[in-house]
Amino acid sequence: MNTSSTLKNGLKSRHLTMISIAGVIGGALFIGSGSVIYDTGPAAILAYGAGGLLVMLIMRMLGEMAVAHPDSGSFSTYADTAIGRWAGFSIGWLYWFFWALLMGWEAYVAGKILNNWFPIFPIWSYMLAVTVALVVINLMDVKNYGEFEFWFALIKVVAIVLFLIVGSLAIINLWPWGQADAKGWTHLTDQGFMPKGSSSVVTALLGVMFGYIGAEIVTVAAAESSHPATEIRKATKSVVWRIILFYVGSIFITVCLIPYNDPRLNDATWGTYSVVLTSLGIPQARHIVNFVVLTSVLSCFNSALYTCSRMLYSLAKRGDAHRIMSYTSKNGSPQIGVLISCVFTLFAVYLTATAKMDVYNVLMTATGTIALYVYLAISCSQLFLRKKLEKQGQTLTFKMWCFPWLTYLVIGLIIASIIIMIIEGTYKYAVIYTSILAAIILIMGIVAQIFKIGSQQNKTE
């Protein structure tokens, strides 16, 4: 192990560009968006648009802090500096739990797709193979992670761009194949733009917000580039409009070409893209989309493992995790953090092999609203850190707009969203279970701060 415990700058600008896109584009776009459309109607466009605007504000706040102080711990480090050790401890570990659990689910989805193509091997064996392969990638030099993520993300981006082109041609009646009714934009309003009322849009917005989490990964990765401040500024400005284009554009095309109440949209075995492309006469559309979904979940797994290991590294450097997690190999990889981050994935492999994967679904419920807590932590951290830096006379070259009023607005909207979710009921248990998990970690953080547990461990090395 490398006792200097330092990460290396191996990520290039093109890597960061794709990482900034890849983290937020997963199965939720290709498959999950269909159920949102089915439950909301064409007005789902509004939900995805509003969610994109919220992410834009969050990324601007995070970008302000990251440009001033690039760090692999990102918002966890900023919460520590701005609010207190307990805040950085809590949000860091909560975020780690989210991605560590999500890796197990991504491995399961990948295993199901591969098993469907090649049923000779069981799902759990594919899950194990995927896990081992991506662990090996993350144990190597960080540029290998960046290179794999670049190509994984490129496949997703190319698929989305082609979908937008083909869908646009169908909307303007220049696509010659497919069903007769999969043309033009009559489905956008023929059954009403908001057939289930405005309340359904609010409910959809709450669900859509979860799908956007991952955009912040670029601020973690940028710390391992040669010019982190420059890369963060560039990525923060570009990632939001790309997200809005890909998500809102895809939803717009879908609701124009497909009736919102098409039962296939609510069928997880189909997926949004499969329904549209099949209706447009694309042969083997479901297999093509499944390939894209496979690369998508592999990309998300890859990013999740990278993010988890770097978050553990940052927590360990601050004394909020065991110092062994801050040790790096000669190539700069926090190898212990990489291995520890796979614990839930291996648990998912075991549950799948023993036909008990439903237990894992219960665990995933406890991470259902982590996006909101992360966004809240970023907003509060930016509010306090901005004031601290201004008092210290530091000049900020990248700022949040209309400070502090927009920051206050975002904080208010997030708190209101959590309250509405509990009252409305659709995401009630996701909020409750996530809040219980957050409360447990929060108590641990407060205890660690009061009794200074681990705070001196790195100073004695």
Side-chain angles (χ1 to χ4, degrees):
M1 293 242 176
N2 179 10
T3 55
S4 64
S5 303
T6 56
L7 301 174
K8 290 188 176 181
N9 299 332
L11 293 177
K12 299 178 181 178
S13 181
R14 65 183 179 89
H15 294 150
L16 291 170
T17 298
M18 284 302 180
I19 289 170
S20 67
I21 299 172
V24 76
I25 300 176
L29 172 60
F30 301 109
I31 298 176
S33 57
S35 60
V36 175
I37 295 172
Y38 187 85
D39 293 334
T40 310
I45 298 170
L46 300 179
Y48 278 96
L53 290 176
L54 177 62
V55 172
M56 177 179 69
L57 296 176
I58 294 294
M59 287 299 293
R60 186 75 186 189
M61 287 186 279
L62 183 56
E64 175 185 292
M65 296 183 289
V67 168
H69 298 285
D71 191 278
S72 61
S74 189
F75 50 84
S76 173
T77 302
Y78 309 139
D80 187 311
T81 304
I83 304 172
R85 183 187 173 194
W86 63 269
F89 178 101
S90 302
I91 202 65
W93 276 108
L94 192 63
Y95 193 68
W96 179 86
F97 270 108
F98 171 77
W99 286 112
L101 280 168
L102 188 65
M103 280 191 290
W105 185 250
E106 301 287 3
Y108 179 70
V109 174
K112 285 195 69 174
I113 293 174
L114 290 169
N115 175 258
N116 183 54
W117 290 343
F118 312 105
I120 187 172
F121 296 111
I123 294 175
W124 69 263
S125 65
Y126 288 115
M127 293 174 65
L128 186 59
V130 164
T131 302
V132 171
L134 294 179
V135 165
V136 170
I137 291 172
N138 278 270
L139 289 177
M140 296 188 291
D141 192 297
V142 69
K143 69 180 180 181
N144 290 291
Y145 156 73
E147 200 62 35
F148 275 90
E149 194 58 22
F150 174 84
W151 292 107
F152 280 150
L154 186 61
I155 292 173
K156 289 192 287 188
V157 170
V158 169
I160 295 170
V161 170
L162 290 176
F163 178 82
L164 295 176
I165 292 173
V166 171
S168 298
L169 290 175
I171 288 176
I172 60 177
N173 292 297
L174 293 180
W175 183 257
W177 302 284
Q179 299 174 6
D181 65 336
K183 300 284 191 299
W185 50 67
T186 55
H187 294 306
L188 183 64
T189 55
D190 63 352
Q191 299 183 71
F193 181 70
M194 201 178 293
K196 300 190 177 182
S198 58
S199 61
S200 66
V201 179
V202 175
T203 303
L205 172 60
L206 299 175
V208 164
M209 288 164 65
F210 310 146
Y212 281 132
I213 191 169
E216 68 288 336
I217 290 177
V218 68
T219 63
V220 176
E224 293 183 74
S225 66
S226 300
H227 305 285
T230 301
E231 296 297 344
I232 290 171
R233 184 185 288 108
K234 183 169 65 175
T236 302
K237 288 181 177 179
S238 63
V239 66
V240 176
W241 72 261
R242 287 171 180 159
I243 291 172
I244 293 177
L245 172 64
F246 292 159
Y247 272 92
V248 178
S250 296
I251 302 304
F252 175 75
I253 285 173
T254 301
V255 297
C256 283
L257 301 178
I258 306 294
Y260 82 89
N261 54 0
D262 188 317
R264 294 176 299 174
L265 289 173
N266 201 37
D267 185 346
T269 63
W270 269 89
T272 317
Y273 274 41
S274 295
V275 174
V276 176
L277 294 178
T278 299
S279 298
L280 293 178
I282 304 294
Q284 302 298 320
R286 295 179 74 174
H287 289 301
I288 295 172
V289 173
N290 275 342
F291 171 73
V292 176
V293 172
L294 176 61
T295 60
S296 179
V297 296
L298 292 177
S299 169
C300 286
F301 188 119
N302 197 34
S303 287
L305 184 53
Y306 170 84
T307 305
C308 280
S309 63
R310 269 54 181 184
M311 188 58 71
L312 286 183
Y313 171 85
S314 177
L315 288 167
K317 294 291 283 186
R318 287 178 276 139
D320 291 335
H322 195 281
R323 62 178 175 270
I324 195 173
M325 298 181 196
S326 69
Y327 293 165
T328 59
S329 61
K330 291 181 179 180
N331 59 24
S333 169
Q335 294 185 337
I336 301 299
V338 170
L339 296 174
I340 290 176
S341 296
C342 291
V343 60
F344 288 118
T345 308
L346 295 177
F347 183 51
V349 173
Y350 167 75
L351 291 177
T352 304
T354 56
K356 298 177 182 177
M357 190 59 183
D358 55 331
V359 174
Y360 205 82
N361 294 335
V362 176
L363 291 175
M364 283 300 297
T365 304
T367 66
T369 54
I370 279 180
L372 291 178
Y373 288 103
V374 170
Y375 295 161
L376 185 61
I378 291 172
S379 303
C380 292
S381 298
Q382 188 266 337
L383 180 66
F384 292 117
L385 190 59
R386 171 77 167 266
K387 293 179 179 179
K388 280 188 176 183
L389 294 177
E390 288 179 342
K391 284 183 179 180
Q392 295 170 3
Q394 181 170 338
T395 301
L396 299 175
T397 59
F398 191 78
K399 295 182 179 181
M400 172 61 177
W401 306 295
C402 300
F403 180 83
W405 307 114
L406 267 182
T407 301
Y408 283 130
L409 176 62
V410 171
I411 292 173
L413 287 174
I414 294 172
I415 294 174
S417 296
I418 294 174
I419 295 172
I420 292 173
M421 290 168 76
I422 295 175
I423 296 175
E424 193 274 335
T426 302
Y427 299 103
K428 177 180 179 180
Y429 292 105
V431 174
I432 292 174
Y433 293 152
T434 306
S435 298
I436 291 173
L437 175 62
I440 293 172
I441 297 175
L442 181 64
I443 292 171
M444 293 171 62
I446 293 173
V447 170
Q449 178 170 319
I450 292 175
F451 295 99
K452 298 183 179 179
I453 300 173
S455 60
Q456 304 299 315
Q457 68 178 16
N458 290 320
K459 295 180 181 179
T460 59
E461 289 181 345

